[in-house]
Amino acid sequence: MRRFALIAVLTACTVDDPVDPPEAPAAPAEPTAAAEPAEAPEAPEPPQLSPDVTPVQDLSSALRRLGELMTEMREAIGEAGETTEGDDCAKARAIFLASNEALRTSLEEEPLPGGRTPPYWQVPDAREFARKCHQLPAPVQRCLRLDVRAEERSTCGPALEGLDEDQKAIVDALARSVREEPAP
């Protein structure tokens, strides 16, 4: 019985029944003084950032420039590894110095946004470098070369991590990462 009542109600309304058109919206009222928008508050001043923080607006250009810098340094490292005469110790020193020179030259041409400077390698003179480097095992001497380290991570990682404290101190003395630019 309920079904028939529901069907009867549903069929009583048809599409053919006329429908009154919706009323047109009233014309907008004249704004009153109370309806006027208040003055927008002044935008707050951005917080002062410490010198080691890059504003978000500069992040894209900073990343682009850093990518260019890294490419230039990789090229210099690769070239030094291919063209330097001598054993792995001599090549490692030449590569560190070539990396420094590529960094210096690139930053002179176009500094990083915000005046940032990546670290340089502090490298001893050739005689001191060779003396210390030759105290290390041959696989570690080879892994001191940045070009080899990048290509042979699975070999160099364990070789460098497995050093005793004295050997780690030698590696650190051979190429210490410093923020100040070393003397040429």
Side-chain angles (χ1 to χ4, degrees):
M1 188 76 155
R2 284 182 165 174
R3 283 188 197 163
F4 293 116
L6 183 59
I7 293 174
V9 169
L10 290 176
T11 56
C13 296
T14 65
V15 178
D16 295 333
D17 290 341
V19 177
D20 293 331
E23 290 185 30
E30 290 294 319
T32 63
E36 290 182 22
E39 285 188 34
E42 289 186 30
E45 290 208 19
Q48 293 297 320
L49 301 174
S50 66
D52 62 333
V53 175
T54 300
V56 171
Q57 299 83 353
D58 296 339
L59 190 56
S60 177
S61 62
L63 290 174
R64 175 199 53 80
R65 180 63 186 113
L66 189 57
E68 293 169 356
L69 179 62
M70 296 306 294
T71 298
E72 293 167 11
M73 290 176 66
R74 272 193 298 275
E75 289 170 358
I77 287 167
E79 184 178 330
E82 291 172 9
T83 61
T84 301
E85 301 281 329
D87 63 5
D88 285 326
C89 291
K91 290 183 180 196
R93 183 174 186 278
I95 288 169
F96 285 124
L97 295 175
S99 173
N100 282 348
E101 184 58 31
L103 177 60
R104 183 180 300 109
T105 301
S106 184
L107 291 176
E108 285 173 2
E109 291 175 9
E110 182 183 352
L112 288 173
R116 292 197 155 140
T117 303
Y120 288 86
W121 297 108
Q122 187 177 41
V123 183
D125 65 55
R127 180 171 284 167
E128 180 70 8
F129 191 97
R131 185 182 68 73
K132 288 181 178 182
C133 182
H134 289 116
Q135 293 176 24
L136 299 169
V140 174
Q141 291 176 25
R142 180 163 170 73
C143 290
L144 284 176
R145 295 177 48 179
L146 297 175
D147 58 337
V148 170
R149 195 181 307 181
E151 293 294 321
E152 299 178 17
R153 290 182 181 158
S154 62
T155 303
C156 290
L160 292 167
E161 290 169 7
L163 297 175
D164 63 35
E165 292 304 314
D166 292 337
Q167 292 170 326
K168 286 179 183 180
I170 292 171
V171 169
D172 187 46
L174 291 176
R176 182 173 293 128
S177 180
V178 295
R179 287 282 172 196
E180 311 83 44
E181 183 176 353

